[in-house]
Amino acid sequence: MEDHGNTGHRATRKDFITMLIKGMAALSVTFSLFAIANCAYAQEQTVAEFEGAWAAVHSRRGEQLEVSLEVVRDVGRISFRANNWNPVGSGFCEYVFSAEGLNDIDIFLHRNAMTPDWCPENLTMNFDRTGPNQANLLMNEDTFLENFDVFAQLRPFRPQDAMPEIEGLDILGLTLGASQTEIEVALTDMGFDALIEATRTVGAQDGSWTRESRSYNREGDTIIVSFSSVFAENPVIPTAVAISRDVIISAGEAITAQTIMQSLASKYGETSVYGDVRQYDRTGRLVTSRAQLNDLCPVGPLQEIEFQSNVAVSAVRLTCGPVVSFGVATDFSTGLATRFSVSMIHPDEVWDDFWQVWSASQYTRIRAIYDGITSATSEAPEL
């Protein structure tokens, strides 16, 4: 097993998904950059709406305030990094709180040797979800800001976030999101054997979660499936997050590269954004140009997640749909194809799995700080 510590960092081979949520407070998101129209958010305001990693950077002339908010399950942390911020100056203040409600939330200062004396000891805030990726915080005093917006950099994947299925988006009938049982039954029926020795396993140092990438072979035809993470406290059958296929073509088959490319294009789409990559939008439409990409898959506050499959590394944009990539190797002397590969990933599967692992790690860290602060005694020892 490759040991990645108890950090929620997941990988296939060495690094499956690179943690992009490091340094949340340093993200350059201005107060209005990703603002959503000032209409009421239709979702019911529940504590579950609070969960996520939120951030913003607020600026005034020569002043800057970076805000980072993380809420997982029933605890959270919020930090303020001030740079020449009037009236306090510069410094870093971090707080933790119980996230069991949305109003009158008491937040407690996490003090250490670097904490400025001017950090308010205890604050109260209200949380109001104003859009899918936007929220408003109302504080009981204005040391930092009394009323301000934050934007979701990462949040739980919810049923209403799911995009519709795309008909025909599969590799030999194998679909993303299918359970490991369904995948392996289908592969066995097609004559594939599991390559146990090729299984790649990664996980947390404490064994709280693991995830596998499994390989299957049928006479030079290899399927590799990256499955979702499995947690020790709640083991479930994992699902396919990414699927790739690599086929070695014998000289006797005499298939031209053009024939294979035409077949792949016929199945996955004739046009591409770049190279041999097919990108779909959230409605299942094929994106046909780079110009169209930003229209159909708008850049927003949600962070892209870097995903390393067995074929390529790509940044998964959560406002987009699935990505399919393929390629063909050719014998230059004959023009015949010697090998072809195809892979596909789905942002919904990557998003959900990344959140599950990241949030588990964050919960452990924030809960430990919160319990330490709220259980500490105020009585000094006898001297």
Side-chain angles (χ1 to χ4, degrees):
M1 176 179 292
E2 298 173 27
D3 181 8
H4 290 263
N6 190 17
T7 64
H9 188 172
R10 310 184 304 126
T12 52
R13 299 194 183 274
K14 290 187 178 179
D15 290 307
F16 173 59
I17 293 182
T18 300
M19 187 67 72
L20 295 183
I21 314 301
K22 295 178 181 177
M24 291 289 294
L27 293 169
S28 297
V29 183
T30 64
F31 180 80
S32 61
L33 182 57
F34 299 115
I36 297 173
N38 293 323
C39 56
Y41 183 51
Q43 288 298 120
E44 180 183 356
Q45 294 286 302
T46 65
V47 174
E49 294 292 305
F50 204 175
E51 278 199 285
W54 310 76
V57 176
H58 299 275
S59 298
R60 301 187 299 217
R61 292 181 182 177
E63 306 174 40
Q64 189 175 78
L65 182 69
E66 300 170 358
V67 183
S68 174
L69 170 70
E70 297 168 6
V71 182
V72 181
R73 304 181 200 173
D74 59 353
V75 292
R77 67 169 287 277
I78 185 170
S79 67
F80 301 89
R81 185 178 299 278
N83 184 16
N84 296 323
W85 190 258
N86 185 46
V88 296
S90 299
F92 179 79
C93 306
E94 180 182 49
Y95 300 82
V96 291
F97 55 88
S98 170
E100 295 180 343
L102 298 173
N103 299 308
D104 298 324
I105 305 165
D106 293 322
I107 63 177
F108 304 99
L109 180 64
H110 178 211
R111 184 177 291 280
N112 57 44
M114 302 299 292
T115 303
D117 291 337
W118 54 258
C119 291
E121 282 290 336
N122 299 308
L123 295 172
T124 300
M125 71 177 181
N126 294 341
F127 178 92
D128 181 26
R129 186 76 169 267
T130 55
N133 300 312
Q134 184 175 358
N136 179 261
L137 295 181
L138 178 64
M139 313 296 291
N140 66 325
E141 57 105 272
D142 61 358
T143 298
F144 304 109
L145 281 172
E146 189 172 2
N147 188 320
F148 56 94
D149 287 348
V150 290
F151 303 90
Q153 310 298 296
L154 177 69
R155 58 173 175 77
F157 177 79
R158 306 163 301 174
Q160 60 264 40
D161 293 316
M163 63 170 288
E165 286 189 21
I166 301 175
E167 186 177 354
L169 188 66
D170 61 70
I171 294 177
L172 291 181
L174 307 175
T175 58
L176 297 166
S179 71
Q180 182 174 336
T181 301
E182 293 170 325
I183 293 285
E184 294 190 336
V185 167
L187 286 170
T188 299
D189 289 345
M190 288 186 284
F192 283 83
D193 296 318
L195 300 176
I196 303 301
E197 68 280 4
T199 298
R200 307 287 295 185
T201 304
V202 297
Q205 186 176 15
D206 63 0
S208 58
W209 64 270
T210 56
R211 66 180 321 279
E212 291 185 339
S213 179
R214 294 194 171 195
S215 299
Y216 312 85
N217 183 264
R218 179 187 64 181
E219 298 180 354
D221 191 346
T222 302
I223 297 286
I224 303 177
V225 184
S226 296
F227 291 104
S228 58
S229 302
V230 176
F231 293 84
E233 65 178 19
N234 184 30
V236 296
I237 297 174
T239 57
V241 176
I243 303 173
S244 65
R245 183 187 183 197
D246 184 72
V247 182
I248 298 174
I249 303 170
S250 65
E253 293 182 79
I255 304 175
T256 66
Q258 183 179 13
T259 297
I260 293 179
M261 289 298 291
Q262 287 176 342
S263 178
L264 290 168
S266 176
K267 180 174 178 61
Y268 299 113
E270 296 291 340
T271 57
S272 64
V273 177
Y274 46 86
D276 296 320
V277 175
R278 301 298 185 264
Q279 172 74 70
Y280 298 86
D281 72 0
R282 297 294 299 176
T283 68
R285 290 183 297 174
L286 191 65
V287 180
T288 59
S289 67
R290 285 181 179 272
Q292 192 183 47
L293 179 64
N294 288 331
D295 291 334
L296 298 180
C297 305
V299 175
L302 288 176
Q303 288 290 286
E304 292 183 344
I305 296 175
E306 188 174 300
F307 181 93
Q308 181 175 338
S309 69
N310 297 283
V311 177
V313 177
S314 56
V316 178
R317 188 181 293 191
L318 302 186
T319 55
C320 262
V323 179
V324 179
S325 59
F326 48 80
V328 180
T330 306
D331 183 325
F332 289 105
S333 63
T334 65
L336 297 178
T338 59
R339 191 173 197 151
F340 78 86
S341 63
V342 58
S343 66
M344 61 183 185
I345 58 177
H346 199 302
D348 291 1
E349 302 298 326
V350 173
W351 180 356
D352 184 51
D353 199 42
F354 186 80
W355 167 261
Q356 297 298 332
V357 173
W358 180 86
S359 64
S361 173
Q362 291 300 101
Y363 179 78
T364 300
R365 184 177 69 86
I366 298 172
R367 168 55 71 180
I369 297 173
Y370 177 81
D371 288 347
I373 291 175
T374 56
S375 64
T377 179
S378 60
E379 297 180 6
E382 183 178 355
L383 301 177

